[in-house]
Each structure stands twice: as structure tokens, then as C-alpha cells.
Amino acid sequence: TRYLPGRFGNFLSFLFGAHGCLPILALRWGLVGFQFPFRSGIFLMSKSKDAVDEMTHVQRALVTWNDTSPLHCDVLMSPCYITQADSMGFEQASFLNLQIGPSVVVDLRRFKGLTYKDFQRVALKKGNRRNHHDYFAKKGGTVHVSRDFTDFDPGYARVAASLCASTAGQRAEKGEVPILCPVTPMLIQNITEEHKDSFRRIFGVKVNGKAAGSAILFEFPKSKLMTSDMQGLLHEIARPTRAYFAMLALTVEKALEEGYDLLDFGPTTLEPKLDVGGRLIECRAGYHTRSMLMRSLLKRGTDNFRSQQEEVEARMRAGEKEEASPWRAYRLPYVESDFQCLTEDIKTRYRVEEKIVPYSEEKINKNVSEKKSKKQLNKEKRKAARKARLAAQRATAAASRSGDDQKSRPKPSANPTIAPTNN
């Protein structure tokens, strides 16, 4: 009942919701811990020859715990990326293995050493290479990226939480899930006080001095991973100035400059993130419930995620010719090191390559056959036709000269023994 809009939703929540008089429409969900956005929270403490089997044992232990726990959950949910061993062990552990909304990751491993402009030229479609930052600056926008959160605003905790609440309200109006975990000023304050400075920073934007958007960048230097979380926007200010697009583009530029391999934007607002260089990473969720009705409803619900992903992929392919650069960010292939467990079936299904191939102009010229545009082909046809006409004209001129020479020569007499004489 939480996401039912209007007075009817409030009425049902009051009577039958989780805190209602008769909570018959409430379900207790158990969410297996994970690292933002959907990286599994189940870690194997040692390497195993059969990681999937080990993961299956862990998942079965979770089910056993849930069945005997006084805090019994009606549904257990364990989200993860398709590249992780969890997704391969769900079915063996009696979990439903269902597709959920994809996450967006910018894979920068192939573009090390490039400037951001070069990255745009190589990895993005032509229509996505706009300079959002300059447009944002012309509209009075300023950017604040700092490990000291007070550089953005002295009351940063309150401001950031307010911006997140604004975004959550915007999603709720569209009938979407507002936010997974409410962002409160205390949560922001705890992040600044309990996390090391080297692992987090504030990314805030203002328009004419007023806060328009904020996000927290979490950094994992050893794995060369950066994530952007707790994104909040004041839409009436951010939308006219393209603040959100400027934030996304500048985050990619910063990750590229600082040598990060991966930038994880998470599973919401897919299209703007794909436009700045992201690619879709399929996510799966293992659901365990004893209710046959819930199992049926969960299966039906995943069809929306699948159709959403297909629509976004189709839009990205639209307008791209077959000979488009293979370095486009949205179509980059997986590599073997991306998967915790790799099978031949996975290699075939996800176009898995053996290793990362860094971008190089020379390799492009040598290894990729250059297909010419219509303009180039027409130019070459005209050039060939002109050459053919010139060759024909030369042949005609040579033939006419040869005929004139034959006319000027004396004709031989009928008697070959008598030499002709000139009179």
C-alpha cells in the first residue's frame, strides 16, 4: 500500500498497511546486504574450484535461517550483477532467478590516457557530444567537488537530504519506487564523520548561489572503482540549466582524469547515463518465498524490467550505422576477468572477450576495415567516370590521327614489280 497514490492509498495504508489496524496487505521483505548499487554482499573467504557450489551452500543457509528465525521474512531478495557467482547459484538454492532493472557502468579501461574530448569522440555517438558544462555555466551554474563537504554548503547535511527528498517525491509522482533507503541529514553526517576522506567526496552544483543538485562519490582506489550515490536534484532549477547532465558528464571526466577503471552510476535514469558513456550491466535477483502466489506475481513483475532494458538498447542503436565504431561505450563487450565464474554458454551469450584491448588509433586503422560513406563513394565514382571519359577521348584522337596518316600515304600500283612514280 505504500506506493498507492492519493487518498485511497492512504486509506488502505491506515487500515491494512504495515502499521495499520489489520496489516493483511503488508509483507516482510528480507534484503540480503549488498554494496551499492547491486554488487553482491556475499563474499567467499577463500578461492574455491567451484565458486557456484560454495555460493549455493551460503544461499541455502540463508533460507534455513529465515525458516527458523523469529523475524521470519515472507520474501528473501538477493540482488547481484550477472557477472557474479550468486546469479549462477540461485536456482540450485531454490531461489527464483529473475531479471531486474539493469545498472549503468562507465567502463574506462580501454580509454586510459585519453582526454575527455577524445573519449567523447571515440566512445559517444555524435549527438551525445554536447558540452553540458559550458551551457550550465552560462546559466549561472557553479560546480563544487570536494572532500570537505562544507565547501558545497555549510549546512550540507540538511541541503543534501532535502535534494534527495525532492528527487524521491518526483519519482513517487510518476508511480515509481521513490528511494531504496531514505537519505536523512544524520546519514550524510555519519558518512562525513565515519568514512575516511580518501574514500568519499561531495559533488554539488548551484545555480545563482542556490543548491540545485548533489551526489556523493564513493571511491575504492584498490579496485579502481568509483560510484555515484545519493543523487538529489531540485528539478525546477536543475532541469532548465541541464544541471543533471552536467553532473554526469563531469563525473565521467573526473573518473577518466584520475585513472579509475569503472564508474558505477546505478540502476535509475538509464538514458542520460548511457548518453555520457555508460553501458547496461544486467542485474539478477534471487527471490525465495514459500508462497506460490508471490512467486507468480514476482515472475510477472520482472517483465517490466526486461521490456525497459530492451527499449533503451533499441534507442541507443537507433541512428547507428552498421559500420559505426566498435569502441562505442554502450556496446563494449565483457572480458573474462569480469566474471567470477565463466562457462562456454556465458561466453557465447554475452560476447565475452579474452582480455581488455586498449583503444589505439593505429589499431583502428590496421584491424578495422574502414567503410566509406556515401559521399566518399560518389566522389570516387565521379573520379572513375572522368578517367574513363578522358581515356575514351584519347583513344578517339589516336584513331583519327592514325586514319589521317593512312590517307596521306601513296597507294601501291597494281603491278607489284613496278615501283610507283610521282608525277
Side-chain angles (χ1 to χ4, degrees):
T1 61
R2 179 182 175 187
Y3 304 118
L4 293 175
R7 294 181 178 179
F8 180 68
N10 294 334
F11 176 72
L12 287 181
S13 295
F14 176 75
L15 290 180
F16 308 119
H19 303 289
C21 304
L22 185 65
I24 58 175
L25 295 181
L27 292 172
R28 186 188 294 274
W29 282 67
L31 183 63
V32 179
F34 60 91
Q35 171 194 324
F36 175 87
F38 280 146
R39 292 181 182 272
S40 170
I42 302 176
F43 303 98
L44 300 178
M45 301 304 293
S46 61
K47 290 186 178 181
S48 172
K49 293 182 180 179
D50 192 346
V52 176
D53 183 63
E54 294 287 340
M55 192 62 69
T56 301
H57 281 84
V58 175
Q59 292 165 349
R60 285 176 178 168
L62 288 171
V63 173
T64 302
W65 168 84
N66 185 52
D67 288 342
T68 58
S69 173
L71 297 175
H72 176 75
C73 299
D74 298 293
V75 181
L76 281 179
M77 176 185 177
S78 178
C80 68
Y81 287 154
I82 192 63
T83 56
Q84 296 181 293
D86 307 48
S87 65
M88 304 171 203
F90 285 142
E91 294 174 8
Q92 299 178 37
S94 301
F95 278 71
L96 286 174
N97 188 356
L98 303 178
Q99 181 177 348
I100 57 176
S103 187
V104 182
V105 175
V106 185
D107 189 347
L108 300 171
R109 294 173 293 183
R110 294 169 175 83
F111 307 107
K112 292 295 183 69
L114 295 185
T115 63
Y116 182 64
K117 285 188 177 180
D118 288 337
F119 169 79
Q120 286 183 306
R121 175 178 58 83
V122 174
L124 305 185
K125 292 167 63 175
K126 191 172 182 179
N128 296 334
R129 300 171 191 169
R130 303 179 184 89
N131 192 331
H132 297 291
H133 179 248
D134 283 358
Y135 181 87
F136 179 64
K138 288 178 183 177
K139 295 293 183 178
T142 55
V143 179
H144 307 267
V145 184
S146 176
R147 300 193 186 281
D148 184 357
F149 284 35
T150 56
D151 289 346
F152 170 52
D153 193 281
Y156 64 88
R158 175 185 51 79
V159 172
S162 174
L163 292 170
C164 287
S166 173
T167 299
Q170 190 82 4
R171 291 178 185 169
E173 290 176 3
K174 297 178 181 178
E176 301 175 359
V177 177
I179 198 166
L180 186 63
C181 176
V183 178
T184 63
M186 183 176 294
L187 176 61
I188 303 293
Q189 190 71 36
N190 288 340
I191 290 173
T192 59
E193 294 175 355
E194 297 179 9
H195 284 66
K196 291 184 178 179
D197 291 356
S198 57
F199 294 154
R200 87 290 184 276
R201 68 179 98 174
I202 188 75
F203 190 133
V205 292
K206 292 183 177 181
V207 177
N208 297 323
K210 186 174 182 179
S214 70
I216 296 180
L217 304 181
F218 292 99
E219 301 165 68
F220 305 86
K222 288 186 178 180
S223 58
K224 295 186 177 179
L225 168 70
M226 177 186 287
T227 69
S228 177
D229 195 10
M230 302 182 191
Q231 176 78 51
L233 293 169
L234 191 60
H235 290 271
E236 55 266 28
I237 299 177
R239 186 175 288 112
T241 59
R242 300 181 191 169
Y244 184 52
F245 294 95
M247 290 181 73
L248 293 175
L250 287 170
T251 305
V252 175
E253 182 176 359
K254 187 161 289 293
L256 184 64
E257 289 176 352
E258 297 182 8
Y260 283 94
D261 288 344
L262 301 169
L263 170 59
D264 205 328
F265 277 129
T268 57
T269 55
L270 303 180
E271 294 189 12
K273 295 170 182 176
L274 291 173
D275 289 344
V276 298
R279 54 170 295 196
L280 296 179
I281 303 296
E282 183 180 335
C283 295
R284 312 291 294 189
Y287 294 95
H288 185 276
T289 176
R290 301 293 185 187
S291 169
M292 297 303 295
L293 176 61
M294 280 300 302
R295 292 175 72 90
S296 176
L297 293 174
L298 288 168
K299 286 181 179 179
R300 290 187 180 184
T302 58
D303 292 338
N304 294 330
F305 291 121
R306 190 177 297 107
S307 61
Q308 178 191 30
Q309 181 169 345
E310 290 171 354
E311 288 173 6
V312 172
E313 289 176 343
R315 189 192 70 84
M316 292 303 296
R317 287 193 298 268
E320 281 278 71
K321 299 177 181 178
E322 291 297 326
E323 64 269 20
S325 170
W327 300 94
R328 291 287 186 259
Y330 74 90
R331 59 161 66 171
L332 291 176
Y334 291 100
V335 293
E336 292 183 0
S337 60
D338 291 335
F339 289 83
Q340 292 180 349
C341 184
L342 193 61
T343 63
E344 290 300 323
D345 179 57
I346 291 175
K347 283 184 180 181
T348 304
R349 191 189 311 170
Y350 295 104
R351 289 191 308 124
V352 181
E353 294 186 351
E354 184 178 354
K355 60 181 180 179
I356 293 288
V357 179
Y359 171 81
S360 168
E361 292 283 1
E362 295 180 0
K363 288 181 181 179
I364 285 288
N365 295 332
K366 290 180 181 178
N367 298 336
V368 180
S369 59
E370 181 181 356
K371 296 194 176 182
K372 300 171 183 177
S373 65
K374 280 187 177 181
K375 187 176 180 180
Q376 290 173 317
L377 292 172
N378 290 335
K379 185 177 179 181
E380 290 182 0
K381 285 180 182 178
R382 290 194 297 270
K383 189 175 180 181
R386 188 165 55 251
K387 284 184 178 180
R389 286 196 302 270
L390 290 173
Q393 289 173 2
R394 290 192 193 101
T396 303
S400 64
R401 283 196 302 271
S402 176
D404 292 341
D405 290 344
Q406 288 179 1
K407 288 179 181 179
S408 63
R409 290 177 186 173
K411 295 182 179 180
S413 63
N415 188 351
T417 59
I418 299 175
T421 57
N422 294 326
N423 296 324

